[in-house]
Amino acid sequence: MSIITTKSDVVWNYIGTLFGMASGFLLLPILMAFLPPDYLSLWYIFLSLCTIVSLLNSGLGPSLSRNVMYAWGGADAIQSQGIANAKSDKPNMPLLRKVLDASKCIHAFTSSIALILLAVFGTVYIRHITQMLPFETILPAWIIFCAAIFLNLYYDYWAVFLRGIGLIASYNKILVASKICDLGIATALLVSGHGIVSVAISYFVSGCVLRLLSKRVFAKRVDIKTTQPLKSRIKETKEVVIILWPNSWRDWLVAIADAITTQAMTIVCSLFLSLTDAGIYALSLQFITAIAKASDAILFSYQPEIANCIVLKRYERACSLVSMCMIVYGILFILATVAVIALAIPLLYAISDSYQFDIPTLLLLAVYMYLLNRYKLYAAVIALTNNLCYWKSFIVSGVAGLVLSIVALSILGSSTYTLIASQLVVQCAYNIWKWPRFARSTIGCNSFKYFFNLGRNELTAKVRLAL
């Protein structure tokens, strides 16, 4: 089935993305008012650990999403590499059901592994960094947080399927509802004096709302019920898992590299800097990550349509959409960075002077995240062809950046400048220039000037239509 990205999809994707960021920023002043700096820093370290264990699903998400798009686009089969021909532009429902069964099986396994890792190694780490804090106030929050991560990771496949079949607007409406729950519950509990356990409970409830509503909407839109015998379904599930595995483990490694180049740096900070300084770095990273997420939302709005164009071999249309998305990404990233420095940070200073942001550090982090996220967006386009040729360089650069950061911090002293600069040097050596060029070539557009003009014309046409 041909997927057309509507204005509603784009608008709701931005509403969902911006509301997700706004809810975090709206909650931040409340956290700063009702949590001491050490506990606030600890909460952001909780979130960094969540990001790390979520890598178990991060590898699955892209692989499953691509194959959902292929099945919905009419592909007659899924392959380990490349895309099968689409004999029809109608959804292949039997294939979609097979992918769903495989998703349930795989997510049950990965969520269980994540829970074990958090319960064992995560608890040891949290206990190590909170020796100066009463652990009896931290343990309940940590237990609830671990339970929330387990349930969120298990039910994550519903969100993947909603986006994969092009229900971008529906998914983001659900996302907004879950964020409202998160903000409301956390605020009520913090004001009533429940401390760090407040945000753990709100995180748990909002995750359940997101997954359960996603399941309900998908079931209303797609009927893939079957009377096929259980034994036959188990056999088909094994076959699908075998097909998905070659690219899934590559996606996992790419996700690990992504965490090393971003969230793992918060862990490194907590080992070399004070807990308060590490918390300030984590807050700065949250700002820049939010900017990157808002800026790249446009590409993920159009991702199902781009994948559909690739399946149906409409390459010029795919080039136009990708180019337009990259132009919008650059414009929004610059504007959002200026807004954060000019508006958001002064507002936080007015609320509390306990947190002192270093603007040069924030700007250096912004440059790093812009370049990092840009080549990852191009890599996401390459992945739509079911070819993950970039995975080795992602892993090498991620490990090299981590090692260089630790060595540099040990030799040059503890500094956020050293941490960020080490990562930036490694990424500039190869990834930043290699994969944008390769992505444009993959979708049949070797000339950057032609590629840019396609995007500019597409953006101009959409702006005129909107006006």
Side-chain angles (χ1 to χ4, degrees):
M1 177 180 287
S2 295
I3 297 176
I4 303 297
T5 304
T6 65
K7 183 190 295 185
S8 176
D9 289 325
V10 176
V11 169
W12 270 105
N13 196 38
Y14 272 105
I15 291 175
T17 302
L18 294 175
F19 192 85
M21 292 189 310
S23 64
F25 293 139
L26 288 173
L27 185 59
L28 181 57
I30 301 172
L31 291 171
M32 294 171 70
F34 290 94
L35 286 181
D38 283 351
Y39 281 90
L40 179 57
S41 300
L42 181 61
W43 173 246
Y44 283 108
I45 290 172
F46 274 22
L47 294 179
S48 293
L49 290 174
C50 171
T51 301
I52 292 172
V53 296
S54 295
L55 294 175
L56 292 167
N57 270 16
S58 297
L60 290 174
S63 181
L64 291 174
S65 182
R66 288 192 300 271
N67 285 284
V68 170
M69 293 175 194
Y70 301 154
W72 193 253
D76 56 357
I78 59 174
Q79 301 176 171
S80 296
Q81 296 286 332
I83 305 173
N85 291 327
K87 295 181 179 179
S88 169
D89 61 356
K90 295 181 179 180
N92 186 336
M93 290 302 183
L95 182 60
L96 193 64
R97 180 189 54 74
K98 293 177 185 178
V99 176
L100 178 59
D101 286 343
S103 300
K104 292 179 179 179
C105 178
I106 297 172
H107 278 77
F109 174 75
T110 56
S111 58
S112 298
I113 295 297
L115 182 60
I116 293 171
L117 291 174
L118 285 174
V120 179
F121 300 104
T123 302
V124 172
Y125 170 74
I126 292 298
R127 188 70 185 94
H128 171 71
I129 65 172
T130 58
Q131 294 181 22
M132 303 302 294
L133 301 174
F135 195 61
E136 61 272 13
T137 64
I138 297 168
L139 186 59
W142 177 242
I143 292 173
I144 295 170
F145 186 72
C146 291
I149 291 176
F150 171 77
L151 292 176
N152 289 347
L153 292 182
Y154 176 68
Y155 288 110
D156 187 53
Y157 56 84
W158 289 118
V160 172
F161 272 71
L162 275 184
R163 297 182 69 90
I165 64 175
L167 295 181
I168 304 296
S170 297
Y171 172 73
N172 281 280
K173 290 175 184 177
I174 296 169
L175 185 62
V176 169
S178 72
K179 292 299 181 182
I180 291 174
C181 288
D182 187 17
L183 183 60
I185 294 171
T187 301
L189 292 176
L190 283 167
V191 171
S192 61
H194 288 84
I196 193 172
V197 75
S198 305
V199 278
I201 292 173
S202 66
Y203 182 78
F204 179 91
V205 175
S206 65
C208 291
V209 169
L210 177 65
R211 307 311 172 193
L212 294 178
L213 288 180
S214 295
K215 177 182 178 180
R216 184 175 181 180
V217 170
F218 182 83
K220 285 184 176 181
R221 179 67 174 83
V222 182
D223 182 13
I224 53 176
K225 294 179 181 178
T226 179
T227 58
Q228 188 177 7
L230 179 60
K231 184 177 181 180
S232 178
R233 291 180 65 183
I234 292 175
K235 180 181 178 182
E236 288 183 346
T237 298
K238 290 180 179 178
E239 292 173 351
V240 172
V241 170
I242 291 172
I243 293 172
L244 292 176
W245 176 244
N247 270 348
S248 291
W249 67 260
R250 291 181 174 89
D251 275 321
W252 263 317
L253 293 177
V254 168
I256 290 171
D258 182 44
I260 290 173
T261 55
T262 53
Q263 297 299 328
M265 292 302 101
T266 302
I267 308 299
V268 173
C269 257
S270 69
L271 297 175
F272 282 89
L273 281 71
S274 68
L275 190 59
T276 300
D277 288 340
I280 293 173
Y281 173 82
L283 285 173
S284 300
L285 183 61
Q286 184 193 27
F287 273 118
I288 301 303
T289 301
I291 289 171
K293 187 175 181 181
S295 303
D296 66 24
I298 185 71
L299 179 67
F300 294 105
S301 297
Y302 282 92
Q303 192 177 46
E305 184 177 352
I306 294 169
N308 192 250
C309 289
I310 292 173
V311 170
L312 300 176
K313 303 187 185 306
R314 299 169 182 168
Y315 293 117
E316 184 168 339
R317 176 62 180 165
C319 286
S320 297
L321 293 175
V322 172
S323 178
M324 177 195 69
C325 291
M326 297 309 299
I327 292 172
V328 172
Y329 165 72
I331 294 171
L332 291 182
F333 199 105
I334 294 171
L335 293 177
T337 301
V338 172
V340 164
I341 294 173
L343 301 174
I345 291 179
L347 179 61
L348 290 179
Y349 282 156
I351 296 171
S352 174
D353 59 1
S354 300
Y355 302 87
Q356 296 297 320
F357 288 91
D358 184 63
I359 300 302
T361 297
L362 194 70
L363 285 173
L364 182 60
L365 191 58
V367 171
Y368 169 66
M369 286 298 294
Y370 170 78
L371 295 173
L372 182 75
N373 210 49
R374 180 175 177 271
Y375 81 71
K376 287 180 179 178
L377 290 177
Y378 276 111
V381 174
I382 298 170
L384 293 178
T385 66
N386 211 24
N387 176 20
L388 274 64
C389 54
Y390 49 81
W391 71 274
K392 291 181 181 179
S393 71
F394 276 35
I395 288 293
V396 171
S397 60
V399 173
L402 178 61
V403 172
L404 182 60
S405 297
I406 294 174
V407 171
L409 287 169
S410 300
I411 296 174
L412 301 178
S414 299
S415 167
T416 52
Y417 295 104
T418 303
L419 180 65
I420 300 168
S422 300
Q423 292 284 319
L424 186 58
V425 167
V426 172
Q427 297 299 333
C428 285
Y430 187 74
N431 288 332
I432 283 175
W433 60 267
K434 169 65 178 181
W435 300 116
R437 293 170 59 184
F438 188 89
R440 293 192 292 267
S441 175
T442 298
I443 54 177
C445 195
N446 292 307
S447 169
F448 177 78
K449 183 178 180 180
Y450 178 65
F451 177 78
F452 178 80
N453 287 337
L454 283 175
R456 182 186 60 187
N457 294 338
E458 184 73 24
L459 179 60
T460 301
K462 289 188 179 298
V463 170
R464 287 176 177 172
L465 184 62
L467 296 177

